[in-house]
Amino acid sequence: MEVRALQFNAQVQTDLLCLVTEDELQDYAWPSPAVKQIMEAQKFSGKPGETSSCVFLPDGGDQPRKVVAAGLGKEEELTLEKVRRAVGAGLKEADKLNIALLTTMPWTNERLSAGDAARAVTEAYLLAAYRFDRYLAEKKASSVRSLQVGYGPEQEVEVIAALKLGQSLGEATNLARDLVNEPANVMTPERLAQEAQAAGEKYGFAVEVLEEEAIEELGMEAYLAVAKASANRPRLIIMRHLGDPANPDQVLGLVGKGMTFDSGGLSLKQAKGMEAMKFDMAGAAAVIGAMSALAREQVRLNVVAVVAACENLISSRGYRPGDIIGSMAGKTILVESTDAEGRLTLADAVHYIITKENASVVVDVATLTGAVIVALGNLTTGVLTNDDSLYQRLQQAAEKSGERIWQLPGFPEYKEQNKTPYADLRNVGGREAGTITAGLFVAEFVQDRPWLHLDIAGTAFSEKDGAYMVQGATGVGVRLLYHFAETYL
Ligand code: BES
Ligand code: ZN
Ligand code: ZN
Protein backbone atom coordinates (compact mmCIF):
# COMPACT_ATOMS: atom_id res chain seq x y z
CA MET A 1 0.00 0.00 0.00
CA GLU A 2 1.59 3.17 -1.18
CA VAL A 3 0.27 6.67 -1.91
CA ARG A 4 1.97 9.37 -3.96
CA ALA A 5 1.01 12.83 -5.18
CA LEU A 6 1.30 13.35 -8.91
CA GLN A 7 0.84 16.45 -11.02
CA PHE A 8 -1.76 15.29 -13.47
CA ASN A 9 -1.35 15.77 -17.20
CA ALA A 10 -2.42 14.17 -20.44
CA GLN A 11 0.61 11.89 -20.39
CA VAL A 12 -0.41 9.99 -17.26
CA GLN A 13 -0.30 6.38 -18.41
CA THR A 14 -1.88 4.51 -15.52
CA ASP A 15 -5.39 3.22 -14.96
CA LEU A 16 -7.68 5.92 -13.60
CA LEU A 17 -10.13 6.45 -10.78
CA CYS A 18 -12.75 9.13 -11.49
CA LEU A 19 -14.78 10.41 -8.55
CA VAL A 20 -17.86 11.99 -10.03
CA THR A 21 -20.87 13.86 -8.65
CA GLU A 22 -24.33 13.47 -10.12
CA ASP A 23 -24.26 17.02 -11.44
CA GLU A 24 -20.75 16.77 -12.69
CA LEU A 25 -20.89 14.52 -15.68
CA GLN A 26 -19.20 17.34 -17.60
CA ASP A 27 -16.14 16.78 -19.70
CA TYR A 28 -13.46 17.62 -17.16
CA ALA A 29 -14.49 14.78 -14.85
CA TRP A 30 -13.37 12.28 -17.49
CA PRO A 31 -10.08 11.56 -19.24
CA SER A 32 -11.71 11.87 -22.66
CA PRO A 33 -15.10 12.58 -24.26
CA ALA A 34 -15.19 8.95 -25.38
CA VAL A 35 -15.02 7.71 -21.79
CA LYS A 36 -17.79 10.09 -20.85
CA GLN A 37 -19.95 8.66 -23.63
CA ILE A 38 -19.25 5.07 -22.61
CA MET A 39 -20.07 5.83 -18.98
CA GLU A 40 -23.31 7.47 -20.04
CA ALA A 41 -24.14 4.49 -22.21
CA GLN A 42 -23.54 2.27 -19.18
CA LYS A 43 -26.06 4.47 -17.33
CA PHE A 44 -23.51 5.62 -14.78
CA SER A 45 -25.15 8.54 -13.00
CA GLY A 46 -22.82 9.36 -10.10
CA LYS A 47 -25.10 8.20 -7.26
CA PRO A 48 -23.39 7.45 -3.93
CA GLY A 49 -22.04 3.90 -3.88
CA GLU A 50 -22.45 3.50 -7.65
CA THR A 51 -19.47 2.35 -9.70
CA SER A 52 -18.81 1.63 -13.33
CA SER A 53 -15.76 0.86 -15.40
CA CYS A 54 -14.51 0.65 -18.97
CA VAL A 55 -11.40 0.23 -21.06
CA PHE A 56 -10.37 2.90 -23.55
CA LEU A 57 -7.54 3.69 -25.93
CA PRO A 58 -6.25 7.22 -25.32
CA ASP A 59 -5.80 9.54 -28.32
CA GLY A 60 -2.47 8.75 -29.93
CA GLY A 61 -1.72 6.05 -27.36
CA ASP A 62 -1.26 2.36 -28.05
CA GLN A 63 -1.89 0.99 -24.53
CA PRO A 64 -5.52 0.40 -23.53
CA ARG A 65 -6.30 1.79 -20.09
CA LYS A 66 -8.94 1.04 -17.53
CA VAL A 67 -11.15 3.69 -15.98
CA VAL A 68 -13.09 3.16 -12.78
CA ALA A 69 -15.82 5.65 -11.96
CA ALA A 70 -17.27 6.01 -8.48
CA GLY A 71 -20.27 8.16 -7.62
CA LEU A 72 -20.26 10.97 -5.07
CA GLY A 73 -23.97 11.82 -5.18
CA LYS A 74 -25.36 15.35 -5.43
CA GLU A 75 -22.82 18.11 -5.32
CA GLU A 76 -24.69 20.19 -2.72
CA GLU A 77 -24.79 17.17 -0.41
CA LEU A 78 -21.13 16.30 -0.78
CA THR A 79 -19.15 15.44 2.35
CA LEU A 80 -15.68 14.08 3.03
CA GLU A 81 -17.29 10.84 4.15
CA LYS A 82 -18.91 10.45 0.72
CA VAL A 83 -15.49 10.85 -0.85
CA ARG A 84 -14.14 8.08 1.40
CA ARG A 85 -17.04 5.80 0.53
CA ALA A 86 -16.65 6.43 -3.18
CA VAL A 87 -12.95 5.57 -2.94
CA GLY A 88 -13.83 2.37 -1.06
CA ALA A 89 -16.35 1.39 -3.73
CA GLY A 90 -13.96 2.35 -6.54
CA LEU A 91 -11.24 0.26 -4.99
CA LYS A 92 -13.45 -2.84 -4.91
CA GLU A 93 -14.16 -2.32 -8.61
CA ALA A 94 -10.44 -1.81 -9.35
CA ASP A 95 -9.71 -5.01 -7.45
CA LYS A 96 -12.07 -6.95 -9.70
CA LEU A 97 -10.25 -5.55 -12.73
CA ASN A 98 -6.93 -6.52 -11.15
CA ILE A 99 -5.58 -2.98 -11.37
CA ALA A 100 -2.18 -2.52 -9.69
CA LEU A 101 -1.52 1.19 -10.12
CA LEU A 102 -4.37 3.65 -9.99
CA THR A 103 -4.36 7.43 -10.40
CA THR A 104 -7.20 9.68 -9.28
CA MET A 105 -8.24 12.54 -11.48
CA PRO A 106 -7.52 16.02 -10.03
CA TRP A 107 -10.15 17.37 -7.73
CA THR A 108 -12.04 20.46 -8.80
CA ASN A 109 -15.15 20.70 -6.72
CA GLU A 110 -16.83 23.80 -5.33
CA ARG A 111 -17.75 22.17 -2.03
CA LEU A 112 -14.46 20.59 -0.95
CA SER A 113 -10.94 21.86 -1.27
CA ALA A 114 -8.32 19.85 -3.13
CA GLY A 115 -6.54 19.35 0.19
CA ASP A 116 -9.53 17.97 2.09
CA ALA A 117 -10.33 15.68 -0.80
CA ALA A 118 -6.73 14.46 -1.07
CA ARG A 119 -6.68 13.66 2.65
CA ALA A 120 -9.95 11.75 2.45
CA VAL A 121 -8.87 9.85 -0.66
CA THR A 122 -5.58 8.86 0.96
CA GLU A 123 -7.21 7.77 4.22
CA ALA A 124 -9.91 5.81 2.46
CA TYR A 125 -7.45 4.00 0.23
CA LEU A 126 -5.23 2.95 3.14
CA LEU A 127 -8.24 1.90 5.23
CA ALA A 128 -9.92 0.02 2.39
CA ALA A 129 -6.78 -1.86 1.32
CA TYR A 130 -6.05 -2.98 4.91
CA ARG A 131 -6.10 -6.73 5.58
CA PHE A 132 -5.38 -8.66 8.76
CA ASP A 133 -3.81 -11.67 7.05
CA ARG A 134 -0.81 -12.41 9.26
CA TYR A 135 -2.13 -15.88 10.11
CA LEU A 136 -3.30 -16.86 6.63
CA ALA A 137 -1.24 -19.10 4.33
CA GLU A 138 -3.15 -17.70 1.36
CA LYS A 139 -3.33 -13.94 1.47
CA LYS A 140 -5.89 -11.94 -0.46
CA ALA A 141 -4.37 -8.49 -0.71
CA SER A 142 -6.06 -5.79 -2.77
CA SER A 143 -4.66 -5.78 -6.31
CA VAL A 144 -4.13 -2.02 -6.07
CA ARG A 145 -0.59 -1.78 -4.74
CA SER A 146 -0.28 1.91 -5.19
CA LEU A 147 -2.46 4.97 -5.59
CA GLN A 148 -1.40 8.24 -7.17
CA VAL A 149 -3.38 11.26 -6.10
CA GLY A 150 -3.55 13.52 -9.13
CA TYR A 151 -3.56 17.28 -8.64
CA GLY A 152 -3.79 20.34 -10.84
CA PRO A 153 -0.97 22.87 -11.30
CA GLU A 154 -2.07 25.21 -8.49
CA GLN A 155 -2.91 22.55 -5.94
CA GLU A 156 0.56 21.16 -5.34
CA VAL A 157 1.42 22.54 -1.88
CA GLU A 158 -2.04 21.87 -0.47
CA VAL A 159 -2.33 18.36 -1.88
CA ILE A 160 1.12 17.19 -0.83
CA ALA A 161 0.54 18.32 2.79
CA ALA A 162 -2.93 16.78 2.87
CA LEU A 163 -1.66 13.52 1.47
CA LYS A 164 0.98 13.33 4.17
CA LEU A 165 -1.64 13.89 6.87
CA GLY A 166 -3.97 11.34 5.27
CA GLN A 167 -1.14 8.85 5.30
CA SER A 168 -0.34 9.50 8.97
CA LEU A 169 -4.00 9.09 9.91
CA GLY A 170 -4.62 6.06 7.70
CA GLU A 171 -1.54 4.24 8.93
CA ALA A 172 -2.20 5.13 12.58
CA THR A 173 -5.74 3.79 12.22
CA ASN A 174 -4.42 0.59 10.66
CA LEU A 175 -1.93 0.25 13.51
CA ALA A 176 -4.84 0.39 15.96
CA ARG A 177 -6.71 -2.20 13.87
CA ASP A 178 -3.73 -4.53 13.98
CA LEU A 179 -3.50 -4.24 17.77
CA VAL A 180 -7.20 -5.04 18.17
CA ASN A 181 -7.31 -7.85 15.60
CA GLU A 182 -4.44 -9.72 17.27
CA PRO A 183 -5.85 -12.46 19.49
CA ALA A 184 -5.52 -12.18 23.26
CA ASN A 185 -2.97 -15.01 23.48
CA VAL A 186 -0.65 -12.73 21.51
CA MET A 187 -1.77 -9.26 22.57
CA THR A 188 -1.08 -9.58 26.30
CA PRO A 189 -0.54 -6.51 28.51
CA GLU A 190 3.20 -7.00 28.11
CA ARG A 191 2.93 -7.18 24.31
CA LEU A 192 0.63 -4.16 24.18
CA ALA A 193 3.27 -2.21 26.11
CA GLN A 194 5.94 -3.38 23.66
CA GLU A 195 3.78 -2.27 20.73
CA ALA A 196 3.34 1.16 22.34
CA GLN A 197 7.10 1.38 22.77
CA ALA A 198 7.69 0.39 19.16
CA ALA A 199 5.20 3.05 17.97
CA GLY A 200 6.91 5.61 20.21
CA GLU A 201 10.27 4.86 18.66
CA LYS A 202 8.91 4.89 15.14
CA TYR A 203 6.87 8.10 15.38
CA GLY A 204 8.75 10.02 18.05
CA PHE A 205 6.90 10.02 21.37
CA ALA A 206 8.17 8.95 24.79
CA VAL A 207 6.85 5.75 26.36
CA GLU A 208 7.20 4.67 29.97
CA VAL A 209 6.00 1.26 31.13
CA LEU A 210 5.38 0.51 34.81
CA GLU A 211 5.26 -3.03 36.14
CA GLU A 212 3.34 -4.33 39.08
CA GLU A 213 5.53 -3.10 41.91
CA ALA A 214 5.50 0.47 40.65
CA ILE A 215 1.73 0.28 40.08
CA GLU A 216 1.30 -0.90 43.68
CA GLU A 217 3.40 1.98 44.93
CA LEU A 218 1.09 4.38 43.15
CA GLY A 219 -1.82 2.84 45.06
CA MET A 220 -3.82 1.84 41.99
CA GLU A 221 -5.88 -0.68 43.95
CA ALA A 222 -8.92 -0.78 41.69
CA TYR A 223 -6.79 -1.47 38.62
CA LEU A 224 -4.78 -4.14 40.43
CA ALA A 225 -7.93 -5.86 41.72
CA VAL A 226 -9.00 -6.45 38.11
CA ALA A 227 -5.51 -7.60 37.13
CA LYS A 228 -5.15 -10.07 40.00
CA ALA A 229 -6.36 -13.30 38.41
CA SER A 230 -4.26 -13.50 35.27
CA ALA A 231 -0.77 -14.95 34.92
CA ASN A 232 -0.27 -12.24 32.27
CA ARG A 233 0.68 -9.44 34.60
CA PRO A 234 -0.47 -5.81 34.16
CA ARG A 235 1.48 -2.99 32.54
CA LEU A 236 0.75 0.68 33.06
CA ILE A 237 1.62 2.33 29.75
CA ILE A 238 2.33 6.07 29.73
CA MET A 239 2.91 7.89 26.43
CA ARG A 240 4.03 11.50 26.23
CA HIS A 241 4.16 13.90 23.30
CA LEU A 242 5.21 17.27 24.75
CA GLY A 243 4.89 19.33 21.60
CA ASP A 244 4.27 22.65 23.37
CA PRO A 245 6.82 22.92 26.20
CA ALA A 246 6.13 26.67 26.56
CA ASN A 247 2.67 25.85 27.98
CA PRO A 248 3.26 23.08 30.51
CA ASP A 249 -0.15 23.70 32.14
CA GLN A 250 -2.00 22.71 29.00
CA VAL A 251 -1.94 18.96 28.80
CA LEU A 252 -4.49 16.93 26.90
CA GLY A 253 -4.89 13.61 28.72
CA LEU A 254 -6.07 10.55 26.82
CA VAL A 255 -7.02 7.38 28.68
CA GLY A 256 -7.68 4.13 26.81
CA LYS A 257 -9.26 0.99 28.25
CA GLY A 258 -6.69 -1.76 27.78
CA MET A 259 -8.38 -5.01 28.78
CA THR A 260 -6.47 -7.47 26.62
CA PHE A 261 -9.17 -10.03 27.33
CA ASP A 262 -12.41 -9.76 29.28
CA SER A 263 -13.81 -13.13 30.36
CA GLY A 264 -16.00 -11.33 32.90
CA GLY A 265 -14.04 -12.91 35.76
CA LEU A 266 -16.16 -14.79 38.32
CA SER A 267 -19.18 -12.89 36.92
CA LEU A 268 -18.38 -14.98 33.88
CA LYS A 269 -19.61 -14.01 30.45
CA GLN A 270 -21.58 -16.60 28.51
CA ALA A 271 -19.49 -18.70 26.14
CA LYS A 272 -21.27 -17.47 23.02
CA GLY A 273 -19.49 -14.41 21.75
CA MET A 274 -16.82 -14.38 24.45
CA GLU A 275 -14.10 -14.63 21.80
CA ALA A 276 -15.00 -11.10 20.75
CA MET A 277 -13.62 -9.84 24.06
CA LYS A 278 -10.10 -9.71 22.67
CA PHE A 279 -11.32 -6.33 21.38
CA ASP A 280 -11.64 -4.96 24.92
CA MET A 281 -8.38 -3.04 24.46
CA ALA A 282 -9.67 -1.04 21.50
CA GLY A 283 -9.63 2.15 23.58
CA ALA A 284 -5.93 1.56 24.23
CA ALA A 285 -5.36 0.95 20.53
CA ALA A 286 -7.17 4.21 19.73
CA VAL A 287 -4.94 6.28 22.01
CA ILE A 288 -1.76 4.54 20.80
CA GLY A 289 -2.83 5.26 17.21
CA ALA A 290 -3.72 8.88 17.99
CA MET A 291 -0.38 9.45 19.75
CA SER A 292 1.40 8.01 16.71
CA ALA A 293 -0.32 10.42 14.33
CA LEU A 294 0.10 13.44 16.64
CA ALA A 295 3.81 12.77 17.11
CA ARG A 296 4.39 11.98 13.45
CA GLU A 297 2.73 15.25 12.45
CA GLN A 298 4.68 17.07 15.19
CA VAL A 299 1.54 18.72 16.47
CA ARG A 300 2.34 21.64 18.80
CA LEU A 301 0.43 20.41 21.82
CA ASN A 302 1.17 18.54 25.00
CA VAL A 303 -0.61 15.22 24.89
CA VAL A 304 -0.23 12.40 27.39
CA ALA A 305 -1.92 9.03 27.04
CA VAL A 306 -2.33 6.38 29.73
CA VAL A 307 -3.39 2.74 29.41
CA ALA A 308 -3.91 0.56 32.48
CA ALA A 309 -3.44 -2.70 30.59
CA CYS A 310 -4.46 -5.99 32.15
CA GLU A 311 -6.53 -9.11 31.62
CA ASN A 312 -9.82 -10.01 33.33
CA LEU A 313 -9.63 -13.76 33.99
CA ILE A 314 -10.52 -16.28 36.67
CA SER A 315 -8.27 -17.85 39.28
CA SER A 316 -8.06 -18.35 43.03
CA ARG A 317 -6.19 -15.07 43.21
CA GLY A 318 -8.92 -13.10 41.47
CA TYR A 319 -11.29 -10.54 42.94
CA ARG A 320 -14.88 -11.55 43.70
CA PRO A 321 -18.35 -10.08 43.52
CA GLY A 322 -19.00 -8.52 46.91
CA ASP A 323 -15.40 -7.46 47.47
CA ILE A 324 -14.86 -3.91 48.64
CA ILE A 325 -11.71 -2.49 47.10
CA GLY A 326 -9.80 0.78 47.28
CA SER A 327 -8.65 3.07 44.50
CA MET A 328 -5.82 5.50 43.81
CA ALA A 329 -8.16 8.41 44.54
CA GLY A 330 -8.96 6.90 47.94
CA LYS A 331 -12.60 6.12 47.20
CA THR A 332 -13.84 2.65 48.15
CA ILE A 333 -15.78 0.57 45.64
CA LEU A 334 -18.17 -2.32 46.14
CA VAL A 335 -17.60 -4.83 43.34
CA GLU A 336 -21.06 -6.02 42.37
CA SER A 337 -19.85 -7.57 39.14
CA THR A 338 -16.32 -8.54 38.22
CA ASP A 339 -17.46 -8.01 34.62
CA ALA A 340 -17.82 -4.26 35.16
CA GLU A 341 -14.02 -4.15 35.30
CA GLY A 342 -13.35 -1.43 32.72
CA ARG A 343 -14.58 1.43 34.89
CA LEU A 344 -12.33 0.21 37.72
CA THR A 345 -9.19 0.42 35.61
CA LEU A 346 -10.34 3.72 34.08
CA ALA A 347 -10.95 5.23 37.52
CA ASP A 348 -7.33 4.74 38.50
CA ALA A 349 -5.95 5.69 35.09
CA VAL A 350 -7.96 8.93 35.09
CA HIS A 351 -6.82 9.77 38.61
CA TYR A 352 -3.25 9.01 37.63
CA ILE A 353 -3.30 11.19 34.50
CA ILE A 354 -4.69 14.16 36.46
CA THR A 355 -2.50 13.92 39.55
CA LYS A 356 0.76 12.60 38.08
CA GLU A 357 0.70 13.82 34.48
CA ASN A 358 -1.00 17.15 35.14
CA ALA A 359 -3.73 16.63 32.53
CA SER A 360 -5.89 19.74 32.18
CA VAL A 361 -8.43 18.05 29.90
CA VAL A 362 -9.33 14.34 30.05
CA VAL A 363 -10.75 12.15 27.30
CA ASP A 364 -11.31 8.48 28.02
CA VAL A 365 -12.02 5.92 25.32
CA ALA A 366 -13.37 2.51 26.21
CA THR A 367 -15.30 -0.53 25.03
CA LEU A 368 -17.23 -0.10 28.22
CA THR A 369 -20.81 -1.30 27.94
CA GLY A 370 -22.99 -3.69 25.96
CA ALA A 371 -25.74 -1.15 26.66
CA VAL A 372 -24.26 1.34 24.19
CA ILE A 373 -24.80 -1.24 21.43
CA VAL A 374 -28.45 -1.54 22.44
CA ALA A 375 -28.78 2.25 22.40
CA LEU A 376 -26.78 3.22 19.31
CA GLY A 377 -25.91 0.05 17.40
CA ASN A 378 -22.61 -0.31 15.61
CA LEU A 379 -22.69 3.04 13.86
CA THR A 380 -22.26 5.61 16.58
CA THR A 381 -19.96 6.14 19.54
CA GLY A 382 -21.78 7.14 22.73
CA VAL A 383 -20.42 10.19 24.53
CA LEU A 384 -20.77 11.67 28.01
CA THR A 385 -19.26 14.96 29.08
CA ASN A 386 -19.25 17.55 31.85
CA ASP A 387 -18.42 20.38 29.45
CA ASP A 388 -20.50 21.40 26.43
CA SER A 389 -17.70 23.33 24.75
CA LEU A 390 -15.61 20.15 24.78
CA TYR A 391 -18.43 18.27 23.11
CA GLN A 392 -18.58 20.96 20.42
CA ARG A 393 -14.90 20.40 19.71
CA LEU A 394 -15.60 16.70 19.44
CA GLN A 395 -18.40 17.40 16.97
CA GLN A 396 -15.97 19.33 14.78
CA ALA A 397 -13.60 16.39 14.94
CA ALA A 398 -16.41 13.98 14.08
CA GLU A 399 -17.19 16.01 10.98
CA LYS A 400 -13.58 15.96 9.85
CA SER A 401 -13.08 12.26 10.50
CA GLY A 402 -16.46 10.89 9.47
CA GLU A 403 -16.69 9.08 12.81
CA ARG A 404 -20.19 9.27 14.25
CA ILE A 405 -20.78 10.40 17.83
CA TRP A 406 -23.87 11.09 19.94
CA GLN A 407 -24.15 12.60 23.38
CA LEU A 408 -26.04 10.84 26.14
CA PRO A 409 -27.37 12.80 29.13
CA GLY A 410 -25.34 12.87 32.33
CA PHE A 411 -28.02 14.34 34.59
CA PRO A 412 -26.89 14.18 38.24
CA GLU A 413 -29.91 12.05 39.23
CA TYR A 414 -28.32 9.09 37.38
CA LYS A 415 -25.46 9.18 39.89
CA GLU A 416 -27.80 7.72 42.51
CA GLN A 417 -27.57 4.40 40.69
CA ASN A 418 -23.85 4.14 41.47
CA LYS A 419 -24.46 4.46 45.22
CA THR A 420 -24.46 1.74 47.87
CA PRO A 421 -24.70 1.83 51.67
CA TYR A 422 -21.49 -0.21 51.94
CA ALA A 423 -18.85 1.80 50.07
CA ASP A 424 -18.33 5.16 48.38
CA LEU A 425 -19.39 3.70 45.04
CA ARG A 426 -20.56 0.46 43.49
CA ASN A 427 -19.32 -0.66 40.10
CA VAL A 428 -22.73 -1.54 38.67
CA GLY A 429 -25.51 0.99 38.25
CA GLY A 430 -28.29 -1.48 37.48
CA ARG A 431 -29.82 -2.51 34.18
CA GLU A 432 -31.24 0.88 33.26
CA ALA A 433 -29.11 3.52 31.49
CA GLY A 434 -26.05 1.28 31.67
CA THR A 435 -23.86 3.42 29.42
CA ILE A 436 -24.67 6.56 31.36
CA THR A 437 -24.03 5.09 34.82
CA ALA A 438 -20.74 3.56 33.60
CA GLY A 439 -19.65 6.96 32.29
CA LEU A 440 -20.73 8.71 35.49
CA PHE A 441 -18.71 6.21 37.50
CA VAL A 442 -15.61 7.39 35.64
CA ALA A 443 -16.75 11.00 36.17
CA GLU A 444 -16.39 10.48 39.92
CA PHE A 445 -12.62 10.48 39.32
CA VAL A 446 -12.14 13.43 36.96
CA GLN A 447 -12.27 16.11 39.69
CA ASP A 448 -12.98 19.50 38.06
CA ARG A 449 -11.35 18.73 34.72
CA PRO A 450 -13.26 19.16 31.48
CA TRP A 451 -13.92 15.59 30.45
CA LEU A 452 -15.21 13.50 27.56
CA HIS A 453 -16.08 9.84 27.76
CA LEU A 454 -16.28 7.81 24.53
CA ASP A 455 -17.98 4.42 24.75
CA ILE A 456 -16.80 2.59 21.64
CA ALA A 457 -18.18 -0.88 22.49
CA GLY A 458 -20.42 -0.69 19.41
CA THR A 459 -18.04 0.99 16.99
CA ALA A 460 -14.64 -0.64 17.60
CA PHE A 461 -15.38 -3.83 15.73
CA SER A 462 -17.46 -4.64 12.69
CA GLU A 463 -18.82 -8.05 11.78
CA LYS A 464 -19.19 -7.10 8.14
CA ASP A 465 -17.30 -5.18 5.47
CA GLY A 466 -18.16 -1.51 5.25
CA ALA A 467 -17.86 1.08 2.49
CA TYR A 468 -14.14 1.48 3.13
CA MET A 469 -13.45 -0.91 6.01
CA VAL A 470 -13.04 -4.64 5.95
CA GLN A 471 -14.65 -6.66 8.72
CA GLY A 472 -12.82 -6.73 12.04
CA ALA A 473 -11.33 -3.88 14.04
CA THR A 474 -12.22 -0.40 12.79
CA GLY A 475 -9.55 1.66 14.53
CA VAL A 476 -12.35 3.94 15.71
CA GLY A 477 -11.18 6.90 17.77
CA VAL A 478 -7.77 7.39 16.17
CA ARG A 479 -8.82 10.00 13.63
CA LEU A 480 -11.46 11.45 15.96
CA LEU A 481 -8.91 12.03 18.75
CA TYR A 482 -6.39 13.48 16.33
CA HIS A 483 -8.84 16.05 14.99
CA PHE A 484 -10.12 16.73 18.51
CA ALA A 485 -6.56 17.57 19.59
CA GLU A 486 -6.19 19.80 16.53
CA THR A 487 -9.04 22.03 17.75
CA TYR A 488 -6.61 23.29 20.43
CA LEU A 489 -4.12 24.59 17.86
N1 BES B 1 -16.11 -5.13 27.84
C1 BES B 1 -17.44 -5.17 28.32
C2 BES B 1 -18.38 -4.34 27.46
C3 BES B 1 -18.98 -5.05 26.28
C4 BES B 1 -19.99 -6.00 26.47
C5 BES B 1 -18.61 -4.74 25.01
C6 BES B 1 -20.55 -6.63 25.39
C7 BES B 1 -19.17 -5.37 23.91
C8 BES B 1 -20.14 -6.32 24.10
C9 BES B 1 -17.51 -4.63 29.74
O1 BES B 1 -16.40 -4.89 30.53
C10 BES B 1 -18.67 -5.32 30.39
O2 BES B 1 -18.64 -6.50 30.53
N2 BES B 1 -19.68 -4.53 30.76
C11 BES B 1 -20.86 -5.05 31.36
C12 BES B 1 -21.25 -4.14 32.50
C13 BES B 1 -22.33 -4.69 33.40
C14 BES B 1 -21.80 -5.89 34.16
C15 BES B 1 -22.75 -3.60 34.34
C16 BES B 1 -21.96 -5.11 30.30
O3 BES B 1 -22.05 -4.19 29.48
O4 BES B 1 -22.69 -6.09 30.27
ZN1 ZN C 1 -16.51 -6.80 31.48
ZN1 ZN D 1 -14.58 -5.13 29.49
Side-chain angles (χ1 to χ4, degrees), residues 183-350:
N185 60 319
V186 175
M187 197 50 62
T188 58
E190 181 186 9
R191 176 68 183 270
L192 189 62
Q194 288 166 353
E195 295 291 334
Q197 269 161 336
E201 267 163 44
K202 188 164 175 192
Y203 298 116
F205 59 90
V207 182
E208 189 181 346
V209 176
L210 300 187
E211 298 194 12
E212 202 155 8
E213 224 170 282
I215 302 170
E216 266 164 24
E217 267 166 40
L218 285 165
M220 302 179 88
E221 293 177 29
Y223 168 28
L224 286 171
V226 177
K228 259 161 89 179
S230 178
N232 295 316
R233 303 310 299 149
R235 294 290 187 280
L236 182 69
I237 309 168
I238 304 138
M239 294 160 269
R240 302 184 184 97
H241 166 72
L242 302 180
D244 187 14
N247 290 302
D249 293 339
Q250 282 178 17
V251 180
L252 170 59
L254 307 177
V255 172
K257 175 175 173 182
M259 206 57 52
T260 60
F261 190 73
D262 180 13
S263 71
L266 279 172
S267 312
L268 186 62
K269 290 186 179 297
Q270 63 176 36
K272 189 172 173 292
M274 195 197 281
E275 73 281 355
M277 285 302 137
K278 70 170 185 178
F279 98 132
D280 213 14
M281 36 59 71
V287 305
I288 294 169
M291 290 300 284
S292 298
L294 289 163
R296 186 171 172 182
E297 291 295 312
Q298 299 181 309
V299 172
R300 287 178 54 137
L301 284 174
N302 302 317
V303 190
V304 175
V306 170
V307 172
C310 66
E311 192 176 23
N312 189 20
L313 286 192
I314 298 182
S315 81
S316 63
R317 292 192 309 193
Y319 75 146
R320 318 156 189 79
D323 284 1
I324 295 176
I325 60 174
S327 65
M328 188 179 177
K331 298 191 186 198
T332 58
I333 302 161
L334 171 65
V335 178
E336 284 197 359
S337 168
T338 59
D339 196 13
E341 82 299 335
R343 66 198 76 184
L344 300 175
T345 65
L346 292 174
D348 277 352
V350 161

